[in-house]
Structures are given as C-alpha cells and as structure tokens.
Amino acid sequence: MKVAFGLLALVAIVCAGSALGRKINVSVPLLLVLAGVVCSFLPFVPTVELNPELVLIGLLPPLLYAAALQTSLFDFGSNRRAIGLLSVGYVIFGTVAIGFVVAWLFPEIPLAAAMALGAVVAPPDAVAATAIARKVGMPRRIVTILEGESLVNDATALVCLRAAIAAIAGTVSAAAIAGGFLLAAGGGLAVGIAAAYVLTGLRKRIRNVAINTSTSLVAPLVAYLPAEAIHASGVLAVVVTGLIMGTKAPSMPNGAARLSQRSNWHTVQFLLENSVFLLIGLQVRTIIDGVQGDSLGQGRIWIGCAVVLLAVLVLRPVWVFPATYLPRLIPAVRRKDPSPPWQFAAIVSWAGMRGVVTLAAVLVLPEGLEHRSVLILMALVVVGGTLTLQGFTLPALVRLLRVKGPDPREDALNQASLMQLATAAGVQRLQELRSDADPPEVVAMLKRRTQERGLAAWEKLGRPSAEAATPSQRYAQLRLAMLDAERAKVLELRRGGEYAHEVLAGVLDRLDVEESMLDASLEEPDAGGGGGGEGIARPGGVCPHLESAPDPAVPAGAFCAACDREGTTTVHLRMCVHCGNVACCDSSPGTHAYKHFQATGHPVMRSIEPDEDWRWCYADELLG
C-alpha cells in the first residue's frame, strides 16, 4: 500500500509541478528539484532511498531510448566530431581532472575513489540541458550537439566508473582499461545495430497495434540486457538502437502503430524525465545527514564540495573552446565546417547541468569505501549547483549573447514548401494509378483533398491573429463543431441501449481520429520570430529563375484587382516580380496569381503579406 501511495504522490507532484512551471514560465526540472528538496525535510514524508540499479536499468535506458527516437541520425552524423569530443573526450578529461582536484583537497581519499567521483560528475544530464535549450530557443545545431553528447556521454562515464571501482579493489591495469573501452564501444555498437535489425524486422511483420507498440516499449531492454551480459555498454547499445529505430520508423508500414508509438513514448518520457528531478530533490536530506559524523570535519567537507563544483563549472569551457577551434586549424576541416561564433561555444560551455545519473552512479561506490558519504555529498552539490546556477542563468546568457534560435516563421515557410513538394508527388502518383474505370468524382475528390492539405500550410503564413480565419482554419472550426454534435448524438444513443458497445466504440474512435487531425489545423505559428527571409531552404535544388529574379518595390495599398472585379475573396496577396502584377494566392477562390503565371509565363512571385519576403518559382516549384 505504501508503494502505491508513493507512486500516486510521485505522479501527482510531477503533473502538478509541470503544469505550474509552464503556467508561471519557470523551468520544470528546477521547480521539481526544489519541490523534492522541500518534501525531503517534511516530517511526514518517508525517506526515499534511490536504488542505483533502478535508475541505471529501469530509468536510464528508456529515457535515452525516448530521446534517441526523436534525434535525427543524419544531424547526429553531421555533428559527430563535436559530439565525440564532448561525449568521450570531455568525459575522460573531466574524470581525470576532477579526480586530481578531489585527491588534492582530501589526501585521505584514495586516488581511485577520487577518479570514481570524477567519472560520476563528468557527464552532463541527458534531460536537463536539452529541456532548457529547447525552452530558451537555442540554435538547432547547439541543441543537436547537446542532445548527441547527452546520449553518448553516460556510456563513457560508466566505463570510466567501472575502471575506477576496479582500481579501488586493486585489480586494474592500463591494458585492462583500454580493453574495457574497446569492448564497451564495439560491443555496444554491435549489439545496438543487431537489436535494431531484429526489432525492425519484427515490427514490419506485426500488424496488431497493441503488439507492435509493446514491442517498441521493450526495445530499450532488448538492447541493454544483452550488451551488459557481454560486459559491453548497454547504454550505448540503447542509444544506437533508438537512433536507428527512430530513423526507420517513418518508413515502416502501419501508421496507427507509428502514432501509438509516438504517443506512448511521449508519455513515458514525460513521466520518467520529470520524476528523476523530483527524486534528486528527495535525496537531499538523507545525503546531508550521512556526512554528519565524518572525520574530515563539516567545514572542510563543505569547502571541498564548493571547490569541486567550481572545478566542474570551469573545466567545461577549458575543454569546449579548444575542442571547438583547434580542429579547425586544419584547412580541410575548416573548409568543410567553418568556425562557429564564439557565442556558440560559450553556450555549450554553460549548458552542463548534471542530473539523476550522477546521483545513481555515485551510489554504486562500494559500501565499505572510506568517506563514501562525502563523495556522495559532493555529487549532490554538483548536481544541485549546476542545475541551479546554470539552469537559472542559461536563458539569460542566451539573451545576453543575442543568439537566436530557429525562426518559427521560417520553419512554417519551409514546412509549407515541403508540403507542396509532397503534394505534387502524391498528385503525380494519382495520375499514374488512375484508370478509365475510376469514377471522375473520386479522382477529383482525392486531388482536391491532397491539394487542400498543402494549401493549409501556406495559409498559416503571415496572418495576424486579429484577421479572419483562413479557409482551412474556418473549415476546421466548423468541422469541429459538427464533430461535437455528432459525438453528442452518439452518446445520447448510447444511453438508450439500442446499439452494441463495440459498434458505438468504433464510431467514436473514428470521430476522435478526425478531431485529432483537425486540431493541428487550428494551431497558429508563433509570429514572434520575425520574417523568414534570409537562409530559407530551397528544397529540391537551385533555381535559376529565383537567382535572376528582380526585386521590385511593393506598391502601397495593394489589392487583387481580379478578385475585386469578380467579387471573390482574397486570402493572401502575391506579386509577380517580373511585371509587378498583384494577385491572390492559391488558397483564394480565384487563384489569380497562378492564373497570371499560366497566362504570362512569369515564373517567380513573392509574398507581400506583412513581415514576409519569400519567393516562389511556379516553373520549378522551388522556394527562395
């Protein structure tokens, strides 16, 4: 019963803390840590002992797998040098450096034990940094590097910790350490690839959604347990499996299973990643009480903890800046990957929050180790100090350095362009498959629905919220109202008992699926990002029409003369850059901009909506 009440309280606090943090715009991880600290000192809250095996097997693999599923393998590969230097190089550097700092502060602590603490505090957390990074709107490359680092660094740290614990027992050599690294890396990579191959093959053949989703949920253990059984890195195996499965998932059959996987893993990730921060706070009182009688003395212990925290904060930029710029002294590297602004390295240096893996790993230290409680307290101070100092100040640092994150309007523009290319491919496939026996109205309906989905993406661009809804948004609003009425009627009939439960459930499921699709149509892009002019992608290649197109001035008070003449509604305004003709977009009933292209052959038009300066080539169907 106590376990049940504990789990209920844990989930309740996590949900309430997450909702409150979003409402008052405070970092949810930091808020939950503070809530855990407060709870740890309440007399009616029982002592919560963090079981390291629970964290390292029960929490870490699914957390890393969930993060790896959402990480682009292509982005990971394009940033592999930066990720490797941080996740391997920095962890080893931090392990050795912190180990010597601890040995210098406390000669009574064996060097091997000091190195074990260094391995424990070296890896930044897999959740905290990227959670805050996404919240404050960092550039995508920084987020990719931090995500990639946090996925792999735990594997490096745990290998270093194993070597240090073996050294404590006096049974390690340089050759054994090197062999351990090779086995951990090579074995973890091999097991991860094998697990992904087996799981992908299984899921391609399983049509049942529940079984398919269940296979996905056990994937972390399928990768972790065999790797650990051969003394390889189970963490690395999980990451490799997650990266491969996340890349292959969109091409797998069974869309319902893909949707179920995403929904379930989002829920698992939400509960686990927020629970770990609450668990960190709940350990505070127990760990502080554990050092009360240590022979090193309270004052010396706390000063040593502060020095270790300072060393952790300083050592990261000491590594990051040289690791960022020294490789680019090589001309080939510099040509392929020019040096980023120093602000990028500064942000990566300060995004080094530690988390629950640090606390769980330090508890693995042998029970009989002298001054073990002091080492645990140091780990706690590093976790709490980095979460507080770096977590609270990282958003301010990003603003101070004026580093801009992804432009949401540019993202919306690229999404619309990508949807246009996908729509064209779908319509082309329809033309290939249609036959004379196909009813014309069916073909027309398929083509119309496909094109309307693409047009809806363009409609979201550049409209102030005060304006009338676009056609697609108005369609969604009206259809949602109709679905509410349809659902109410079905529920009314359910009370009458005239229809079987299975029949009612099938109808309600269909209504839910359609509603979930319509909800996305009502989401407005964030207009705070400004225009999407510079750096906009050009899917499909380079367009000579866009490169040579003139840049005429936008006339004041522009309107679509054809719409005015015909009495039709204008949704968005476009202008031909060759002759200056102003006409309505393809979402408008008249589609006069496209008709102008058909009549004149002028290929390039530009948007003249507020804060928009993108262009579109009708001839090549490319965005510029």
Side-chain angles (χ1 to χ4, degrees):
M1 188 65 74
K2 289 182 179 179
V3 174
F5 275 118
L7 290 175
L8 177 61
L10 186 72
V11 173
I13 295 174
V14 163
C15 292
S18 300
L20 179 62
R22 290 178 174 85
K23 185 175 182 62
I24 64 177
N25 199 27
V26 172
S27 172
V28 173
L30 300 177
L31 187 64
L32 290 171
V33 170
L34 294 176
V37 172
V38 172
C39 290
S40 71
F41 285 95
L42 295 177
F44 56 84
V45 176
T47 300
V48 178
E49 294 185 5
L50 192 63
N51 186 326
E53 189 169 318
L54 171 66
V55 174
L56 298 177
I57 298 179
L59 296 181
L60 186 58
L63 268 176
L64 291 176
Y65 184 80
L69 279 177
Q70 302 174 53
T71 300
S72 167
L73 183 59
F74 305 105
D75 290 343
F76 188 97
S78 62
N79 292 281
R80 59 186 178 275
R81 185 186 67 254
I83 292 171
L85 287 171
L86 285 171
S87 60
V88 179
Y90 169 66
V91 170
I92 295 174
F93 168 74
T95 297
V96 175
I98 294 297
F100 281 117
V101 169
V102 173
W104 170 68
L105 288 170
F106 302 103
E108 299 90 341
I109 296 178
L111 180 60
M115 291 292 176
L117 179 69
V120 163
V121 301
D125 180 62
V127 178
T130 51
I132 295 175
R134 293 188 183 280
K135 179 180 175 62
V136 301
M138 293 186 194
R140 281 205 175 92
R141 187 173 188 188
I142 293 181
V143 176
T144 298
I145 291 172
L146 292 175
E147 283 181 336
E149 176 196 10
S150 64
L151 287 174
V152 182
N153 62 7
D154 288 327
T156 307
L158 292 175
V159 172
C160 292
L161 179 61
R162 287 177 184 171
I165 291 176
I168 293 173
T171 58
V172 72
S173 64
I177 294 175
F181 270 104
L182 290 176
L183 176 60
L189 182 64
V191 172
I193 293 173
Y197 176 80
V198 172
L199 289 168
T200 301
L202 284 174
R203 296 190 62 203
K204 281 183 177 179
R205 291 166 173 77
I206 297 174
R207 303 298 302 176
N208 184 277
V209 175
I211 300 175
N212 198 305
T213 304
S214 300
T215 304
S216 172
L217 291 175
V218 300
L221 292 179
V222 171
Y224 184 88
L225 295 177
E228 288 294 315
I230 63 172
H231 303 291
S233 173
V235 170
L236 183 59
V238 169
V239 170
V240 171
T241 301
L243 286 171
I244 296 174
M245 295 291 288
T247 302
K248 289 184 172 294
S251 61
M252 288 185 185
N254 199 339
R258 293 196 298 270
L259 289 173
S260 176
Q261 173 186 274
R262 282 199 294 271
S263 175
N264 281 283
W265 272 113
H266 283 161
T267 304
V268 169
Q269 187 176 19
F270 167 78
L271 287 175
L272 292 185
E273 72 181 16
N274 287 296
S275 296
V276 296
F277 292 110
L278 185 61
L279 289 171
I280 289 172
L282 289 170
Q283 304 306 301
V284 170
R285 182 177 180 180
T286 303
I287 293 174
I288 291 176
D289 290 343
V291 299
Q292 295 301 319
D294 195 276
S295 60
L296 293 176
Q298 294 297 302
R300 189 179 171 201
I301 288 172
W302 285 105
I303 292 173
C305 290
V307 172
V308 170
L309 172 60
L310 179 63
V312 168
L313 296 175
V314 170
L315 287 171
R316 187 165 171 87
V318 167
W319 175 268
V320 168
F321 276 90
T324 300
Y325 295 108
L326 286 180
R328 290 176 170 88
L329 295 178
I330 303 172
V333 174
R334 186 169 60 250
R335 283 194 301 270
K336 187 176 180 180
D337 185 15
S339 297
W342 68 268
Q343 291 91 337
F344 281 31
I347 292 172
V348 172
S349 298
W350 199 242
M353 289 74 76
R354 273 60 173 179
V356 73
V357 175
T358 294
L359 278 185
V362 78
L363 295 175
V364 176
L365 294 176
E367 289 287 347
L369 181 64
E370 191 175 5
H371 306 297
R372 178 176 182 268
S373 59
V374 176
L375 296 175
I376 295 174
L377 179 63
M378 288 181 186
L380 174 67
V381 170
V382 169
V383 171
T386 53
L387 280 174
T388 304
L389 294 175
Q390 295 178 325
F392 276 119
T393 59
L394 185 59
L397 178 65
V398 173
R399 290 192 295 269
L400 179 66
L401 297 180
R402 297 183 179 180
V403 175
K404 296 186 180 299
D407 187 339
R409 295 191 54 75
E410 183 176 324
D411 285 350
L413 184 56
N414 283 320
Q415 184 183 45
S417 174
L418 185 61
M419 186 66 75
Q420 179 100 6
L421 296 174
T423 298
V427 172
Q428 180 180 351
R429 183 61 174 161
L430 174 64
Q431 297 301 329
E432 294 171 357
L433 294 176
R434 64 175 300 183
S435 66
D436 294 337
D438 293 326
E441 62 273 15
V442 172
V443 175
M445 181 175 63
L446 284 169
K447 186 174 181 180
R448 186 182 71 252
R449 287 187 177 181
T450 303
Q451 291 174 334
E452 285 174 352
R453 184 185 58 193
L455 292 174
W458 289 104
E459 290 170 10
K460 291 184 179 181
L461 296 169
R463 295 188 63 88
S465 58
E467 291 188 17
T470 64
S472 296
Q473 290 170 338
R474 186 56 181 159
Y475 170 86
Q477 292 170 353
L478 294 174
R479 184 60 188 137
L480 284 172
M482 293 171 63
L483 287 172
D484 286 340
E486 292 170 22
R487 184 177 292 101
K489 183 63 177 179
V490 174
L491 294 177
E492 177 187 338
L493 295 173
R494 183 180 66 176
R495 289 190 291 271
E498 299 176 15
Y499 295 91
H501 172 74
E502 290 78 5
V503 174
L504 292 163
V507 174
L508 290 172
D509 286 346
R510 293 188 177 208
L511 297 179
D512 288 342
V513 169
E514 186 175 356
E515 182 178 344
S516 67
M517 296 171 64
L518 290 171
D519 284 340
S521 302
L522 295 177
E523 295 178 0
E524 288 285 352
D526 184 0
E534 296 183 0
I536 295 175
R538 294 178 179 176
V542 177
C543 174
H545 302 111
L546 290 169
E547 291 185 337
S548 61
D551 188 19
V554 178
F559 66 98
C560 179
C563 281
D564 187 59
R565 185 172 56 251
E566 297 174 8
T568 55
T569 303
T570 300
V571 177
H572 286 168
L573 288 175
R574 311 291 187 234
M575 184 180 78
C576 175
V577 301
H578 302 278
C579 66
N581 177 72
V582 176
C584 61
C585 68
D586 289 356
S587 292
S588 306
T591 63
H592 293 121
Y594 180 66
K595 289 177 180 177
H596 175 76
F597 158 67
Q598 289 180 312
T600 64
H602 296 167
V604 180
M605 65 82 176
R606 63 155 294 176
S607 170
I608 56 173
E609 292 294 310
D611 298 323
E612 290 187 4
D613 59 1
W614 53 268
R615 301 177 177 202
W616 177 260
C617 176
Y618 282 110
D620 297 323
E621 294 189 338
L622 288 177
L623 178 70

